[in-house]
Amino acid sequence: QAEALILSALARLTPDIPVVAEEAIAAGDAPTLGNRFWLVDPLDGTKEFINRNGEVTVNIALIEAGRPVLGVVLAPAQGRLFAGQIGHGAFLEQGLVRRPIHCRVAPAEGLTVVASRSHGDAVALETFLTGRKVASLKNAGSSLKFCLVASGEADIYPRLGRTMEWDTAAGHAVLSAAGGRVTDVSGTPLVYGKADFANPHFVAW
């Protein structure tokens, strides 16, 4: 139902831009893509939704030439909306208050690491963090992890497991607009529009 509402609104807003949406893809409805398309996840954090912990999000991103250039991440249970556009910055809107957000310089006491609440691989994460000075570890669900880095509440989000492009694009856009970056584990920027829409392991910095 949420996806149908979003698709209808995007069709009115940008009728010429195709939309890749999670439920439609699962049903076998894959549009023909060009240089620009929308990526939609109407409910990110299914386990968080079932557990009712408030960490479910709605993700909408605009992709241009393989890069997420605009994104919104809505956490409806928290009443928070994160948004960002490349070249225009990022913001958090809560209630009637909107404030700009940006990544921070990692503090001298060490990194605050944010990891998946429901899909963690503790051994892989520990291996990745070996040699890095870590001050604390936070857990969060859905695409909120990108937003914690974007707002300066965390410094790094390693994701060493399977994700799909609609899981990450909106948070990626917010983080990029806030001064951060998302790469695969070798440092290559994460790109979108792959044939299977699957992401490699990645790190949001």
Side-chain angles (χ1 to χ4, degrees), residues 1-49:
Q1 289 175 332
E3 182 165 298
L5 184 69
I6 294 166
L7 294 182
S8 174
L10 288 177
R12 293 193 302 272
L13 181 69
T14 55
D16 58 329
I17 300 179
V19 182
V20 175
E22 181 179 15
E23 302 302 325
I25 293 295
D29 184 10
T32 300
L33 298 183
N35 189 58
R36 175 188 284 186
F37 62 95
W38 293 101
L39 270 170
V40 171
D41 188 344
L43 194 158
D44 185 30
T46 306
K47 291 185 178 179
E48 279 63 49
F49 181 76

Side-chain angles (χ1 to χ4, degrees), residues 134-191:
V134 176
S136 64
L137 174 66
K138 294 182 177 182
N139 291 108
S142 68
S143 55
L144 285 171
K145 296 179 284 293
F146 290 98
C147 300
L148 291 175
V149 180
S151 61
E153 298 172 63
D155 303 295
I156 183 172
Y157 160 38
R159 182 57 183 263
L160 308 173
R162 180 176 172 83
T163 59
M164 303 301 288
E165 293 185 4
W166 44 78
D167 297 318
T168 60
H172 186 165
V174 172
L175 178 57
S176 295
R181 60 195 173 100
V182 183
T183 68
D184 67 18
V185 292
S186 68
T188 302
L190 206 64
V191 296

